[in-house]
Amino acid sequence: MRSKKVGAGIEILGLEGPVSPLVYRSPAGATELVTACSGRLTRWDIESGRPTREFQVPENASTGTFELTALLLPDRQVRIAAGEEDGLCLWDGASGRLLADAVGDDRIFQITGGLAGAGRTSLVGTGVKGLHLWNPVTGAPLTSPLEHVGDVVAVTLAKLRGGSSLIVTGDYEGVRRWQGDLCESSFGAEIDAPHIDMLTTVYTADGRPLIVGVAEEGEVVCRWDAETGEEIGPPIPVEGEFVRIATATVSGRIRLFTSDQDVVRQWDLLSGESRKQAFEGSYVSAVSLPDGSALLAAGTMGGKLSTHRLV
């Protein structure tokens, strides 16, 4: 393994297998970089590309590459979460200690976390058995898996401008919005979008929540107003086999990143306009920075990690 500075970013070569990156801002304001590769989780120095910490991993992890989510708790602790074939894995973001090992006895497709109603923090995941809710501090299940109308695959949280929050789920028929910690009631009509693979939420400059989803078996990315369900602009054609997405704000505009087949492309999220500059990578993560720029991290199937400062 070797690392080097490349422009305003770093490049790490020689990792073993597909590299899934995670970049996020710590409670102290630092930009953190963690990767999952061949069942190992590693934290890296964002400036030099040197490894700084190895996370404790399950001895019998059934997946080689965890796709990671960072969750900042109200007490300024950080949790790193990932789903695998046997359930939830949860780590302390500071020490790298494994807090929950394959909790849930289910194959977990996607995990999201964040503030829900009344300042509570939620950790939610989708699985074969339904929708899972876990204690974000310990990873303990809060309830049995919630049955879902369809085969739930994707999930995100959305905070509405009025203060209430939604759990948004995606399945092979469309996008559904739910109110309540246990999805006690539906919100609005189902959003018609076939075969949802992944969901995330972004917020415009005026605080409007938008749902962003990979639909039609990875052929398009769609955007909807989380409050009204109205589609924002035409679908963005991506035509991939297993598209992953990330978003960040660059110079006041929300940028969408799509990755598949070791190519990361950029789009203006609101207009849908494609940007010319592309990067190498099949796994992608991005974070907005206080100075108006953003940091993009991309990992390839062949063991390469790179970061890029976007202005």
Side-chain angles (χ1 to χ4, degrees), residues 6 49 53 67 89 98 102 152 201 246 261 301:
V6 178
R53 182 178 297 278
E67 295 197 43
C89 292
L98 181 66
V152 59
T201 302
Q261 298 181 8
M301 298 298 290

Side-chain angles (χ1 to χ4, degrees), residues 66-193:
F66 299 100
E67 295 197 43
L68 306 171
T69 297
L71 175 61
L72 277 59
L73 303 180
D75 62 0
R76 298 173 64 85
Q77 293 188 72
V78 177
R79 294 290 182 264
I80 306 296
E84 63 141 15
E85 293 182 6
D86 293 328
L88 165 76
C89 292
L90 188 70
W91 292 269
D92 178 276
S95 68
R97 182 166 61 93
L98 181 66
L99 303 174
D101 180 354
V103 173
D105 188 28
D106 193 7
R107 181 184 179 189
I108 303 300
F109 300 119
Q110 186 179 1
I111 292 176
T112 190
L115 288 177
R120 295 182 303 274
T121 306
S122 295
L123 184 60
V124 186
T126 60
V128 175
K129 296 180 180 179
L131 194 67
H132 294 258
L133 294 96
W134 299 285
N135 182 316
V137 177
T138 66
L142 296 177
T143 182
S144 300
L146 304 178
E147 292 186 6
H148 197 265
V149 180
D151 294 327
V152 59
V153 174
V155 65
T156 188
L157 301 176
K159 190 83 171 180
L160 304 185
R161 285 179 289 188
S164 58
S165 58
L166 304 177
I167 295 176
V168 182
T169 59
D171 54 43
Y172 297 125
E173 298 176 0
V175 177
R176 309 170 196 267
R177 293 164 290 164
W178 307 92
Q179 291 179 306
D181 293 341
L182 301 179
C183 301
E184 289 90 346
S185 60
S186 60
F187 178 87
E190 177 186 340
I191 298 173
D192 183 21

Side-chain angles (χ1 to χ4, degrees), residues 192-209:
D192 183 21
H195 202 114
I196 295 293
D197 290 327
M198 186 177 182
L199 291 172
T200 191
T201 302
V202 299
Y203 297 87
T204 62
D206 63 357
R208 181 171 63 145

Side-chain angles (χ1 to χ4, degrees), residues 10 15 46 96 102 126 130 158 182 193 203 223 240 248 251 254 264 304:
I10 58 173
L15 298 170
I46 203 72
T126 60
L182 301 179
Y203 297 87
R223 300 141 293 160
S251 299
I254 304 173
V264 177
K304 174 183 173 181

